[in-house]
Amino acid sequence: MRKPPTLNPFEPWQWRFPAQPNRVWSAMSHFACFSVGTLSAIFMRYFANVEVHNREGLDILVDTSRPRDQGIISVSNHPSCLDDPLNWGVLPPSVWLNRRRVRWSLGGDNICFSRPSHALFFTLGQTIPVRRGIGVYQRGIDYAIEQLDKGAWVHIFCEGRVNQETELLRLKWGVGRLLLEPKHTPIVVPFYVRGMQRVLPNHTYFPRFGEKVHMRVGHPLDFSARVAALQKTIALEDSDEDTPTRRGARKELTDIIEVELRKLAAITEESFPFVDALPPKRVPPSQ
């Protein structure tokens, strides 16, 4: 299936992924993932009051028994800058001992890759830079698809930015491309998190201890049949342009995920309304 040309908006210091990782790079990446994962597990276990509904739904994210070339995509809302990595603190600690089981994540280049030191840290932590506003055909999305073809786990915040309101934003279509183009259609695991906006409200720099966090995990979604039908339709066009058919396919898949995510959100928001109010913002004293 032909595809439109890919944009590469990144500076060389922003794109640090080696073509062939050597032992030194692999060791550095393993240390970054393990240390951050361990700290996340400690925080979520001892410094937050976490409740996970349908925890077994997360097992598939790190299940090594699935086919080696079938990737998996997790999708969630994005109420806090600390969603990644703290959300993964609920997973078994053994996950962080094997870098190949650690998620890949997409991060905005204007935040996670704004400085060379930041770029190196997030790259070692398996975060892929993306540029907002230039569409889905860009180098970061290509690289995420490459990881899915290797059977990796990729997480995406489809709202596209931190949203601390109770209403979900319209999901971006990047996840639609992540479903359409891998060699084997990935499994999708949606989940909704409530309370992380109180752990780290916007414009604050230190997390709050003892906050209640609720995570509701949905059932895995299998898009293989629908993706196969959409791919056939796209292939008939034999075009390397982003045609209305391609855009319609991405939108259709994204809309299905959005419906499932909104169902999880509605159940969670109805069950746990006590976190609706964010901590009051500090108001400087009048002169």
Side-chain angles (χ1 to χ4, degrees), residues 49 79 164-166 192-199 210-214 268-279:
N49 185 356
Q164 299 200 328
E165 303 299 326
T166 58
Y192 185 84
V193 181
R194 197 73 177 101
M196 285 298 296
Q197 56 268 68
R198 293 186 62 90
V199 173
E211 296 293 344
K212 293 184 178 180
V213 177
H214 295 272
T268 308
E269 297 295 348
E270 182 179 356
S271 303
F272 308 106
F274 65 89
V275 293
D276 284 350
L278 290 172

Side-chain angles (χ1 to χ4, degrees), residues 66-73 147-154 182 184-188:
R66 71 175 186 274
R68 294 180 63 87
D69 55 357
Q70 182 180 41
I72 190 162
I73 300 171
Q147 305 314 308
L148 290 168
D149 281 338
K150 298 174 184 177
W153 161 26
V154 173
H184 298 275
T185 305
I187 298 295
V188 177

